[in-house]
Amino acid sequence: MGKKLLFSFLLFAAVCFVTADSLFGILRPDGETVSMPDFCGQREDALAAPDWVELQTEYRYDTEHPAGTVIAQIPAAGSLHKISDRRPCELLLTVSLGAERKEVPAVSGKDEREAAGLLRQSGFAVQEEAVAGGRAGTVERTDPPAGSRIAPGS
């Protein structure tokens, strides 16, 4: 009696699963072709990828897009791919870090030529300005102050 009941239950479960799969597409047949979604322009923290996509992310500085925005993807949106239940499609997203920021070095009290060289070596533009009452040839302060994080070339 126990074996018949177990067999009946397993048969019933299999029929239910096959019916659910045909109605709701629980399993994808091997080789089903799908179109890759477009994630460019979306915020990384709001992405909703289909279950057949495995997201991988790389980051880079980008002055044209706000930080956290997807700026590129491989493979391209709309490209067709075969998928299976055993292996999702890999999608590489490139996300913007925004404009690169560097720390302004501390140059107060240094010789103006040495300070200008350090600032230029760090990637910053230098504009010298005489300060009344200051020591000639010595840096009194920087604007923005040392330790600030700003875009190179500023």
Side-chain angles (χ1 to χ4, degrees), residues 1 4 21 23 41 44 53 71 80 100 103 121 124 129 146:
M1 173 80 177
K4 287 183 182 180
D21 182 45
L23 292 174
E44 177 188 23
V53 171
I71 56 178
L80 299 178
E100 182 178 10
E103 188 172 316
Q121 190 176 27
F124 300 111
E129 184 178 298

Side-chain angles (χ1 to χ4, degrees), residues 54-131:
E54 181 180 308
L55 295 178
Q56 296 178 359
T57 311
E58 67 179 15
Y59 299 88
R60 76 168 189 227
Y61 290 108
D62 184 273
T63 57
E64 296 178 21
H65 301 90
T69 304
V70 177
I71 56 178
Q73 72 178 59
I74 298 172
S79 59
L80 299 178
H81 294 273
K82 289 188 176 183
I83 61 170
S84 73
D85 287 327
R86 291 179 286 287
R87 200 172 41 120
C89 289
E90 292 181 2
L91 178 61
L92 175 63
L93 301 178
T94 303
V95 178
S96 172
L97 290 172
E100 182 178 10
R101 303 277 184 207
K102 288 189 173 185
E103 188 172 316
V104 176
V107 293
S108 295
K110 294 189 183 292
D111 172 77
E112 66 181 294
R113 287 189 186 117
E114 178 187 1
L118 283 170
L119 290 166
R120 286 188 182 104
Q121 190 176 27
S122 296
F124 300 111
V126 177
Q127 181 179 353
E128 296 179 32
E129 184 178 298
V131 177

Side-chain angles (χ1 to χ4, degrees), residues 21 25-34 82-86:
D21 182 45
I26 296 169
L27 295 176
R28 285 194 169 74
D30 281 349
E32 179 180 349
T33 301
V34 293
K82 289 188 176 183
I83 61 170
S84 73
D85 287 327
R86 291 179 286 287

